[in-house]
């Protein structure tokens, strides 16, 4: 009986390990990055530059405003990042097996990243919606504010007021954005690790730092246009006549192109890059250290 339990545990842990490690590393990174993410959202909502937004938030709302929506951010990582990093590991392992153990070409890594991003975003979309609404709430007129207390309160209110399917409002652009981000993040990281470690002979620390930096840049560059559209869709409110500003993500894209041109989608890119790249870097660094600790204790 004891051997049977041990065998089951040994069989279950390798399967769930990538998901546990991915979610944990993402949540740790979010705790560090949350203030920058708040500023990024406010910039996209048209409240000014990074410095202006930070000063206004500190003066009018206090330091706690920088961590508004943290519970939703952590819930998002517990769902989205757990699913995307875990599924990416599973997918790449299966692909390597099918490739007779040889390293995957870049296009196969990109396909694995796209698939993992779609899986993660589909699961994490409700938490992402709660996060965006909580971060944008203070920018709305007093009569339109939702005053969510935490992520679970936000989710329950959305279900009660708008129905269960409203949890996936904006899920289309969320999934597309996640696919673009993960293609840039995951494929570039694996490719960079091979470059720094195998081709250039870098040590472990330099390899992880260099690869995570490249991964962060490509994640930001690939995903910001989709993130911009997603944010506009998720935070929109009907006007006095009950009409929404956009009928959907495609309509938002066309109107944005007409009003501001292609570069409008890169509004706030420096702050977005400063937010996304460190989060990606920290996620990889935390993940690498978690794996090292697990290896040292035999997990």
């Amino acid at each position: 009986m004891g051997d049977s339990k041990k065998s089951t545990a040994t069989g279950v842990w390798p399967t769930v390990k990538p998901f546990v490690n991915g979610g944990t590393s993402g949540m740790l990174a979010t705790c560090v990055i949350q203030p920058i993410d708040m500023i990024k959202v406010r910039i996209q909502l048209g409240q000014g530059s990074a410095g202006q937004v930070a000063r206004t938030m500190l003066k009018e709302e206090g330091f706690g405003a920088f961590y508004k929506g943290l519970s939703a951010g952590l819930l998002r990582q517990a769902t989205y990042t757990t699913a995307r990093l875990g599924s990416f590991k599973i997918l790449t392992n299966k692909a390597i097996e099918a490739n007779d153990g040889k390293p995957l070409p870049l296009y196969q890594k990109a396909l694995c990243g796209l698939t993992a991003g779609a899986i993660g975003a589909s699961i994490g979309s409700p938490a992402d919606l709660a996060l965006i609404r909580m971060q944008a709430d203070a920018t709305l007129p007093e009569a339109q504010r939702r005053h969510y207390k935490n992520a679970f309160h936000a989710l329950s209110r959305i279900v009660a007021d708008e129905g269960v399917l409203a949890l996936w409002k904006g899920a289309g652009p969320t999934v597309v954005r996640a696919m673009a981000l993960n293609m840039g993040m995951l494929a570039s990281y694996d490719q960079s690790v091979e470059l720094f470690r195998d081709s250039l002979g870098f040590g472990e620390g330099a390899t992880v730092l260099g690869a995570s930096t490249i991964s962060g840049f490509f994640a930001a560059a690939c995903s910001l246009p989709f993130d911009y559209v997603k944010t506009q869709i998720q935070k929109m409110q009907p006007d006095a006549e009950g009409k929404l500003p956009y009928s959907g993500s495609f309509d938002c894209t066309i109107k944005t192109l007409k009003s501001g041109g292609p570069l409008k989608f890169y509004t706030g890119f420096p702050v977005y890059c400063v937010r996304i790249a460190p989060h990606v870097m920290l996620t990889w660094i935390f993940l690498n250290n978690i794996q090292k600790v697990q290896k040292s204790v035999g997990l």
Side-chain angles (χ1 to χ4, degrees):
M1 182 66 73
D3 290 341
S4 175
K5 287 183 178 179
K6 183 176 180 181
S7 175
T8 301
T10 303
V12 170
W13 176 240
T15 302
V16 302
K17 180 179 176 180
F19 296 92
V20 172
N21 291 353
T24 303
S25 60
M27 291 172 77
L28 290 171
T30 290
C31 291
V32 179
I33 298 300
Q34 181 70 12
I36 301 174
D37 193 37
M38 271 297 303
I39 294 173
K40 182 267 297 184
V41 170
R42 296 290 183 90
I43 290 174
Q44 288 186 328
L45 296 178
Q47 289 200 324
S49 66
Q52 290 172 331
V53 169
R55 286 193 296 270
T56 300
M57 288 175 63
L58 194 60
K59 181 180 179 181
E60 298 181 359
E61 304 173 57
F63 182 76
F66 292 100
Y67 281 91
K68 188 174 291 183
L70 179 61
S71 61
L74 292 175
L75 179 61
R76 180 176 182 270
Q77 294 302 316
T79 52
Y80 168 59
T81 300
T82 295
R84 66 177 175 140
L85 292 186
S87 59
F88 179 73
K89 186 68 173 177
I90 299 296
L91 289 168
T92 52
N93 285 344
K94 293 293 184 183
I96 289 172
E97 286 179 16
N99 205 29
D100 297 325
K102 298 176 183 177
L104 299 178
L106 182 59
Y107 82 91
Q108 289 188 2
K109 294 173 184 173
L111 287 174
C112 289
L114 283 169
T115 305
I119 293 170
S122 298
I123 295 172
S125 188
D128 191 57
L129 175 63
L131 175 62
I132 292 294
R133 287 195 175 184
M134 290 175 73
Q135 289 178 327
D137 204 46
T139 69
L140 300 173
E142 183 63 36
Q144 295 181 7
R145 293 181 187 178
R146 300 178 174 99
H147 301 292
Y148 297 140
K149 298 175 183 177
N150 52 53
F152 296 104
H153 180 234
L155 294 174
S156 63
R157 278 273 306 279
I158 291 170
V159 171
D161 297 344
E162 305 169 51
V164 174
L165 293 181
L167 293 174
W168 280 270
K169 183 178 290 185
T174 297
V175 170
V176 173
R177 180 251 189 194
M179 291 172 70
L181 186 149
N182 282 278
M183 180 185 69
M185 171 186 173
L186 301 175
S188 65
Y189 181 78
D190 269 19
Q191 196 71 19
S192 298
V193 166
E194 291 179 12
L195 171 66
F196 290 131
R197 183 189 60 203
D198 302 334
S199 300
L200 300 179
F202 282 20
E204 181 183 351
T207 294
V208 172
L209 182 61
S212 61
T213 302
I214 292 173
S215 174
F217 174 80
F218 277 101
C222 291
S223 65
L224 179 55
F226 304 100
D227 183 81
Y228 180 88
V229 172
K230 176 183 71 70
T231 300
Q232 300 306 310
I233 293 295
Q234 289 183 326
K235 66 93 179 180
M236 64 182 179
Q237 288 271 6
D239 59 20
E241 299 177 355
K243 185 178 179 181
L244 293 170
Y246 309 112
S247 60
S249 57
F250 182 74
D251 183 49
C252 178
T253 301
I254 296 301
K255 287 181 178 177
T256 301
L257 276 173
K258 288 181 178 179
S259 64
L263 291 180
K264 182 69 174 178
F265 294 105
Y266 282 89
T267 299
F269 179 73
V271 173
Y272 183 77
C273 195
V274 166
R275 183 265 169 191
I276 288 292
H279 191 280
V280 170
M281 291 174 65
L282 287 169
T283 298
W284 289 124
I285 291 169
F286 280 129
L287 180 60
N288 183 65
N289 281 280
I290 289 170
Q291 290 171 335
K292 284 172 65 176
V293 171
Q294 290 174 340
K295 186 176 181 180
S296 70
V297 297
L299 288 176

